Amino acid sequence: MSEFALIEHKKAEKVIEILENKYRNVKYYLNFDGPLQLLVAAILSAQTKDTVVNELTPELFKKYKTVEDFSGADPVSLLNYVKKVSFAESKVNHIINCCKIINKKYNGKIPNDMENLLSLPGIGRKTANTILINAFGIVEGIPVDTWVIKLSYRIGLSKSKKPDEIENDLKEIVAKKYWKNFAYVLKEHGHQICQSIKPECEICPINELCPKNGVN
Ligand code: SF4
């Protein structure tokens, strides 16, 4: 297998510009109305397709409307609404426990800073960044999901497989104006062209710049 190749800074800037232009209409993919719904949907979406989450949240949010509704929920009843997601039981516990803490410590309001979001059960940096960006318009990082991990490596933007390190590498390369949507741009590129098993390098707009790490 060939050695990992990191893309040169100038080329990386070009790659990012091309992708940002191509997928300029992408937007966050979970449906929500307000910080609470986003927090719940984001917890449910871990290792689960967004379409599955978007299918079940309308009924869920019709029944559970407030932080108190979730904090006081009966786990078995709540599970009935979300059983199609992976790890449903543990996500239900995270949602209930999160909302208990939000009620007690934050007066029923979803925290709008990284440190306090990270203190909540089931919330890692990816979810915290997602909530900050999409619910509060605060952009202090780049959410790193499985597509970001995979494509950052392939394109040579980061040689790490660890989300926190990848985020730091990306923040060095990606202009801040692109942070908000960068994860969704990569995800779209992964869906349309750079698929996991058989990326379509021949039609890829960055094929002359991409080192194609790990692609045969
Ligand atoms: S499709 Fe090929 S050329 Fe394009 S980003 Fe993926 S690996 Fe690189």
Side-chain angles (χ1 to χ4, degrees), residues 76-119:
V76 178
S77 307
L78 182 50
L79 185 62
N80 268 330
Y81 286 84
V82 303
K83 57 187 172 212
K84 285 191 183 154
V85 305
S86 55
F87 310 109
E89 279 184 37
S90 99
K91 288 175 181 174
V92 160
N93 289 331
H94 284 327
I95 291 167
I96 292 174
N97 290 330
C98 258
C99 287
K100 280 183 178 162
I101 295 170
I102 290 166
N103 235 347
K104 205 169 159 194
K105 196 169 165 195
Y106 302 106
N107 219 8
K109 293 210 163 23
I110 314 300
N112 64 354
D113 65 278
M114 181 63 80
E115 195 186 334
N116 285 312
L117 281 170
L118 288 177
S119 73

Short mmCIF file of all heavy atoms in Angstrom, two decimals, residues 76-119:
data_model
loop_
_atom_site.label_atom_id
_atom_site.label_comp_id
_atom_site.label_asym_id
_atom_site.label_seq_id
_atom_site.Cartn_x
_atom_site.Cartn_y
_atom_site.Cartn_z
N VAL A 76 -39.57 3.78 28.81
CA VAL A 76 -40.17 2.79 27.91
C VAL A 76 -41.09 3.49 26.89
O VAL A 76 -41.09 3.16 25.69
CB VAL A 76 -40.96 1.72 28.72
CG1 VAL A 76 -41.63 0.72 27.78
CG2 VAL A 76 -40.02 1.00 29.68
N SER A 77 -41.85 4.47 27.35
CA SER A 77 -42.72 5.19 26.42
C SER A 77 -41.90 5.96 25.39
O SER A 77 -42.22 5.95 24.19
CB SER A 77 -43.60 6.19 27.18
OG SER A 77 -44.27 5.55 28.21
N LEU A 78 -40.84 6.61 25.86
CA LEU A 78 -40.00 7.38 24.94
C LEU A 78 -39.33 6.45 23.92
O LEU A 78 -39.24 6.77 22.73
CB LEU A 78 -38.94 8.17 25.75
CG LEU A 78 -37.98 9.08 25.01
CD1 LEU A 78 -38.68 10.01 24.04
CD2 LEU A 78 -37.17 9.93 26.00
N LEU A 79 -38.93 5.30 24.42
CA LEU A 79 -38.27 4.33 23.53
C LEU A 79 -39.17 3.92 22.37
O LEU A 79 -38.72 3.70 21.25
CB LEU A 79 -37.86 3.10 24.35
CG LEU A 79 -37.06 2.02 23.64
CD1 LEU A 79 -35.72 2.57 23.14
CD2 LEU A 79 -36.82 0.83 24.56
N ASN A 80 -40.47 3.85 22.64
CA ASN A 80 -41.41 3.47 21.58
C ASN A 80 -41.36 4.40 20.38
O ASN A 80 -41.62 4.00 19.26
CB ASN A 80 -42.84 3.49 22.14
CG ASN A 80 -43.20 2.13 22.66
OD1 ASN A 80 -42.71 1.12 22.14
ND2 ASN A 80 -44.02 2.09 23.69
N TYR A 81 -41.04 5.67 20.64
CA TYR A 81 -40.99 6.66 19.54
C TYR A 81 -39.69 6.60 18.76
O TYR A 81 -39.63 7.10 17.64
CB TYR A 81 -41.16 8.08 20.11
CG TYR A 81 -42.56 8.39 20.53
CD1 TYR A 81 -43.02 8.03 21.79
CD2 TYR A 81 -43.43 9.04 19.67
CE1 TYR A 81 -44.31 8.32 22.19
CE2 TYR A 81 -44.72 9.33 20.05
CZ TYR A 81 -45.17 8.96 21.31
OH TYR A 81 -46.45 9.24 21.68
N VAL A 82 -38.65 6.03 19.38
CA VAL A 82 -37.33 6.15 18.75
C VAL A 82 -36.67 4.78 18.52
O VAL A 82 -35.47 4.71 18.26
CB VAL A 82 -36.38 7.05 19.60
CG1 VAL A 82 -36.98 8.42 19.80
CG2 VAL A 82 -36.02 6.43 20.93
N LYS A 83 -37.46 3.72 18.60
CA LYS A 83 -36.83 2.40 18.59
C LYS A 83 -36.13 2.05 17.27
O LYS A 83 -35.36 1.10 17.22
CB LYS A 83 -37.81 1.31 19.01
CG LYS A 83 -39.05 1.23 18.20
CD LYS A 83 -40.01 0.24 18.84
CE LYS A 83 -41.33 0.31 18.13
NZ LYS A 83 -42.45 0.05 18.95
N LYS A 84 -36.40 2.82 16.21
CA LYS A 84 -35.75 2.51 14.93
C LYS A 84 -34.29 2.97 14.88
O LYS A 84 -33.56 2.60 13.97
CB LYS A 84 -36.51 3.17 13.79
CG LYS A 84 -37.81 2.46 13.47
CD LYS A 84 -38.39 2.98 12.17
CE LYS A 84 -39.73 2.33 11.90
NZ LYS A 84 -40.58 3.17 11.06
N VAL A 85 -33.86 3.82 15.80
CA VAL A 85 -32.47 4.28 15.75
C VAL A 85 -31.56 3.24 16.43
O VAL A 85 -32.02 2.45 17.25
CB VAL A 85 -32.26 5.67 16.42
CG1 VAL A 85 -33.18 6.70 15.83
CG2 VAL A 85 -32.42 5.59 17.94
N SER A 86 -30.30 3.25 16.06
CA SER A 86 -29.37 2.32 16.71
C SER A 86 -29.11 2.78 18.14
O SER A 86 -29.19 3.98 18.44
CB SER A 86 -28.06 2.26 15.92
OG SER A 86 -27.54 3.55 15.80
N PHE A 87 -28.81 1.83 18.99
CA PHE A 87 -28.52 2.11 20.41
C PHE A 87 -29.62 2.95 21.07
O PHE A 87 -29.36 3.87 21.84
CB PHE A 87 -27.16 2.81 20.58
CG PHE A 87 -26.05 2.12 19.86
CD1 PHE A 87 -25.47 2.67 18.72
CD2 PHE A 87 -25.58 0.89 20.30
CE1 PHE A 87 -24.46 2.02 18.04
CE2 PHE A 87 -24.55 0.23 19.63
CZ PHE A 87 -24.00 0.79 18.49
N ALA A 88 -30.87 2.61 20.69
CA ALA A 88 -32.01 3.44 21.12
C ALA A 88 -32.10 3.57 22.65
O ALA A 88 -32.34 4.66 23.17
CB ALA A 88 -33.30 2.86 20.56
N GLU A 89 -31.87 2.46 23.36
CA GLU A 89 -32.05 2.53 24.82
C GLU A 89 -31.07 3.50 25.46
O GLU A 89 -31.43 4.30 26.32
CB GLU A 89 -31.87 1.14 25.43
CG GLU A 89 -33.12 0.32 25.31
CD GLU A 89 -33.00 -1.04 25.99
OE1 GLU A 89 -32.37 -1.10 27.06
OE2 GLU A 89 -33.53 -2.00 25.42
N SER A 90 -29.82 3.40 25.02
CA SER A 90 -28.85 4.29 25.66
C SER A 90 -29.08 5.74 25.23
O SER A 90 -28.88 6.67 26.02
CB SER A 90 -27.42 3.79 25.43
OG SER A 90 -26.81 4.46 24.41
N LYS A 91 -29.55 5.96 24.00
CA LYS A 91 -29.85 7.33 23.58
C LYS A 91 -31.02 7.91 24.38
O LYS A 91 -31.03 9.08 24.73
CB LYS A 91 -30.14 7.37 22.08
CG LYS A 91 -28.88 7.16 21.23
CD LYS A 91 -29.20 7.08 19.76
CE LYS A 91 -27.95 6.85 18.93
NZ LYS A 91 -28.23 6.61 17.51
N VAL A 92 -32.02 7.05 24.66
CA VAL A 92 -33.14 7.50 25.48
C VAL A 92 -32.64 7.95 26.86
O VAL A 92 -33.02 9.01 27.38
CB VAL A 92 -34.20 6.36 25.61
CG1 VAL A 92 -35.12 6.59 26.80
CG2 VAL A 92 -35.02 6.28 24.33
N ASN A 93 -31.75 7.14 27.44
CA ASN A 93 -31.20 7.52 28.75
C ASN A 93 -30.43 8.84 28.67
O ASN A 93 -30.55 9.70 29.54
CB ASN A 93 -30.27 6.42 29.29
CG ASN A 93 -31.07 5.21 29.71
OD1 ASN A 93 -32.23 5.36 30.10
ND2 ASN A 93 -30.48 4.03 29.64
N HIS A 94 -29.65 9.01 27.58
CA HIS A 94 -28.90 10.26 27.42
C HIS A 94 -29.85 11.46 27.32
O HIS A 94 -29.62 12.49 27.95
CB HIS A 94 -28.04 10.22 26.15
CG HIS A 94 -26.81 9.38 26.28
ND1 HIS A 94 -26.11 9.26 27.47
CD2 HIS A 94 -26.13 8.64 25.38
CE1 HIS A 94 -25.07 8.47 27.28
NE2 HIS A 94 -25.06 8.07 26.03
N ILE A 95 -30.90 11.29 26.54
CA ILE A 95 -31.84 12.42 26.35
C ILE A 95 -32.50 12.79 27.68
O ILE A 95 -32.56 13.96 28.06
CB ILE A 95 -32.91 12.05 25.30
CG1 ILE A 95 -32.25 11.97 23.91
CG2 ILE A 95 -34.04 13.07 25.28
CD1 ILE A 95 -33.12 11.33 22.83
N ILE A 96 -32.98 11.77 28.39
CA ILE A 96 -33.64 12.05 29.68
C ILE A 96 -32.66 12.70 30.66
O ILE A 96 -32.96 13.71 31.30
CB ILE A 96 -34.26 10.75 30.27
CG1 ILE A 96 -35.42 10.30 29.39
CG2 ILE A 96 -34.72 10.97 31.71
CD1 ILE A 96 -36.03 8.95 29.77
N ASN A 97 -31.46 12.12 30.75
CA ASN A 97 -30.48 12.66 31.71
C ASN A 97 -30.00 14.05 31.32
O ASN A 97 -29.81 14.92 32.17
CB ASN A 97 -29.29 11.70 31.85
CG ASN A 97 -29.71 10.43 32.58
OD1 ASN A 97 -30.62 10.48 33.42
ND2 ASN A 97 -29.09 9.31 32.26
N CYS A 98 -29.80 14.27 30.02
CA CYS A 98 -29.44 15.60 29.54
C CYS A 98 -30.49 16.61 30.00
O CYS A 98 -30.16 17.68 30.53
CB CYS A 98 -29.50 15.63 28.00
SG CYS A 98 -27.94 15.55 27.20
N CYS A 99 -31.74 16.28 29.76
CA CYS A 99 -32.81 17.24 30.06
C CYS A 99 -32.97 17.45 31.56
O CYS A 99 -33.31 18.56 32.01
CB CYS A 99 -34.11 16.80 29.39
SG CYS A 99 -34.02 17.07 27.60
N LYS A 100 -32.68 16.42 32.35
CA LYS A 100 -32.71 16.61 33.82
C LYS A 100 -31.66 17.64 34.22
O LYS A 100 -31.92 18.54 35.02
CB LYS A 100 -32.42 15.28 34.53
CG LYS A 100 -33.64 14.37 34.59
CD LYS A 100 -33.36 13.10 35.35
CE LYS A 100 -34.62 12.26 35.43
NZ LYS A 100 -34.38 10.87 35.77
N ILE A 101 -30.46 17.50 33.65
CA ILE A 101 -29.37 18.44 33.99
C ILE A 101 -29.71 19.84 33.48
O ILE A 101 -29.51 20.84 34.17
CB ILE A 101 -28.03 17.95 33.39
CG1 ILE A 101 -27.62 16.64 34.05
CG2 ILE A 101 -26.93 19.00 33.56
CD1 ILE A 101 -26.45 15.94 33.39
N ILE A 102 -30.24 19.91 32.25
CA ILE A 102 -30.57 21.23 31.67
C ILE A 102 -31.62 21.93 32.54
O ILE A 102 -31.54 23.13 32.79
CB ILE A 102 -31.07 21.05 30.22
CG1 ILE A 102 -29.89 20.63 29.32
CG2 ILE A 102 -31.69 22.34 29.68
CD1 ILE A 102 -30.29 20.10 27.96
N ASN A 103 -32.55 21.15 33.03
CA ASN A 103 -33.59 21.70 33.90
C ASN A 103 -33.00 22.26 35.18
O ASN A 103 -33.27 23.38 35.58
CB ASN A 103 -34.56 20.57 34.27
CG ASN A 103 -35.97 20.95 33.93
OD1 ASN A 103 -36.24 22.11 33.66
ND2 ASN A 103 -36.84 19.98 33.95
N LYS A 104 -32.15 21.43 35.80
CA LYS A 104 -31.64 21.75 37.13
C LYS A 104 -30.55 22.81 37.08
O LYS A 104 -30.55 23.78 37.84
CB LYS A 104 -31.07 20.45 37.72
CG LYS A 104 -31.05 20.43 39.22
CD LYS A 104 -30.74 19.06 39.74
CE LYS A 104 -30.22 19.21 41.16
NZ LYS A 104 -29.60 18.00 41.64
N LYS A 105 -29.60 22.61 36.16
CA LYS A 105 -28.40 23.46 36.17
C LYS A 105 -28.52 24.68 35.26
O LYS A 105 -27.89 25.71 35.51
CB LYS A 105 -27.22 22.58 35.71
CG LYS A 105 -25.87 23.17 36.02
CD LYS A 105 -24.76 22.15 35.80
CE LYS A 105 -23.41 22.84 35.75
NZ LYS A 105 -22.38 21.99 35.21
N TYR A 106 -29.31 24.56 34.20
CA TYR A 106 -29.34 25.65 33.22
C TYR A 106 -30.74 26.28 33.08
O TYR A 106 -31.05 26.87 32.05
CB TYR A 106 -28.86 25.14 31.85
CG TYR A 106 -27.46 24.58 31.90
CD1 TYR A 106 -27.24 23.21 31.83
CD2 TYR A 106 -26.36 25.42 32.06
CE1 TYR A 106 -25.96 22.68 31.90
CE2 TYR A 106 -25.08 24.91 32.14
CZ TYR A 106 -24.88 23.54 32.06
OH TYR A 106 -23.61 23.03 32.14
N ASN A 107 -31.54 26.06 34.14
CA ASN A 107 -32.84 26.73 34.14
C ASN A 107 -33.72 26.39 32.93
O ASN A 107 -34.46 27.21 32.41
CB ASN A 107 -32.58 28.24 34.16
CG ASN A 107 -33.56 28.93 35.05
OD1 ASN A 107 -34.33 28.26 35.76
ND2 ASN A 107 -33.58 30.25 34.99
N GLY A 108 -33.55 25.18 32.42
CA GLY A 108 -34.38 24.73 31.30
C GLY A 108 -33.91 25.21 29.94
O GLY A 108 -34.57 24.97 28.93
N LYS A 109 -32.74 25.89 29.90
CA LYS A 109 -32.26 26.40 28.60
C LYS A 109 -31.06 25.58 28.12
O LYS A 109 -30.16 25.27 28.91
CB LYS A 109 -31.81 27.86 28.75
CG LYS A 109 -32.94 28.82 29.04
CD LYS A 109 -32.62 30.19 28.46
CE LYS A 109 -33.80 31.11 28.32
NZ LYS A 109 -34.96 30.91 29.14
N ILE A 110 -31.04 25.28 26.85
CA ILE A 110 -29.91 24.52 26.30
C ILE A 110 -28.67 25.43 26.33
O ILE A 110 -28.74 26.57 25.84
CB ILE A 110 -30.18 24.11 24.82
CG1 ILE A 110 -31.58 23.53 24.64
CG2 ILE A 110 -29.09 23.17 24.32
CD1 ILE A 110 -31.90 22.31 25.44
N PRO A 111 -27.55 24.96 26.92
CA PRO A 111 -26.36 25.80 26.96
C PRO A 111 -25.89 26.17 25.56
O PRO A 111 -26.01 25.37 24.63
CB PRO A 111 -25.30 24.94 27.66
CG PRO A 111 -26.00 23.75 28.20
CD PRO A 111 -27.33 23.64 27.52
N ASN A 112 -25.35 27.39 25.43
CA ASN A 112 -24.87 27.80 24.11
C ASN A 112 -23.36 28.03 24.11
O ASN A 112 -22.86 28.94 23.48
CB ASN A 112 -25.62 29.03 23.60
CG ASN A 112 -25.36 30.25 24.48
OD1 ASN A 112 -24.72 30.14 25.51
ND2 ASN A 112 -25.87 31.39 24.07
N ASP A 113 -22.66 27.18 24.87
CA ASP A 113 -21.20 27.22 24.79
C ASP A 113 -20.65 25.81 24.86
O ASP A 113 -21.29 24.89 25.39
CB ASP A 113 -20.60 28.08 25.92
CG ASP A 113 -20.85 27.47 27.27
OD1 ASP A 113 -21.96 27.66 27.81
OD2 ASP A 113 -19.99 26.75 27.77
N MET A 114 -19.47 25.66 24.28
CA MET A 114 -18.87 24.33 24.10
C MET A 114 -18.69 23.60 25.44
O MET A 114 -19.05 22.44 25.57
CB MET A 114 -17.52 24.51 23.38
CG MET A 114 -16.77 23.25 23.10
SD MET A 114 -17.65 22.13 21.98
CE MET A 114 -17.30 22.82 20.39
N GLU A 115 -18.12 24.30 26.41
CA GLU A 115 -17.78 23.63 27.67
C GLU A 115 -19.02 23.02 28.35
O GLU A 115 -19.01 21.86 28.76
CB GLU A 115 -17.11 24.65 28.60
CG GLU A 115 -16.40 23.99 29.76
CD GLU A 115 -15.85 25.03 30.73
OE1 GLU A 115 -15.59 26.18 30.30
OE2 GLU A 115 -15.72 24.67 31.91
N ASN A 116 -20.06 23.79 28.43
CA ASN A 116 -21.25 23.28 29.11
C ASN A 116 -21.99 22.23 28.28
O ASN A 116 -22.54 21.27 28.84
CB ASN A 116 -22.19 24.44 29.47
CG ASN A 116 -21.66 25.23 30.66
OD1 ASN A 116 -21.27 24.65 31.66
ND2 ASN A 116 -21.59 26.53 30.51
N LEU A 117 -21.96 22.37 26.98
CA LEU A 117 -22.58 21.32 26.14
C LEU A 117 -21.83 20.00 26.33
O LEU A 117 -22.43 18.93 26.45
CB LEU A 117 -22.56 21.73 24.67
CG LEU A 117 -23.64 22.72 24.23
CD1 LEU A 117 -23.37 23.23 22.82
CD2 LEU A 117 -25.03 22.10 24.30
N LEU A 118 -20.49 20.09 26.37
CA LEU A 118 -19.70 18.86 26.50
C LEU A 118 -19.90 18.18 27.86
O LEU A 118 -19.60 16.99 28.00
CB LEU A 118 -18.21 19.17 26.29
CG LEU A 118 -17.78 19.49 24.87
CD1 LEU A 118 -16.30 19.84 24.81
CD2 LEU A 118 -18.07 18.32 23.93
N SER A 119 -20.40 18.92 28.83
CA SER A 119 -20.62 18.31 30.15
C SER A 119 -21.90 17.48 30.18
O SER A 119 -22.16 16.76 31.14
CB SER A 119 -20.67 19.40 31.23
OG SER A 119 -21.91 20.11 31.13
#
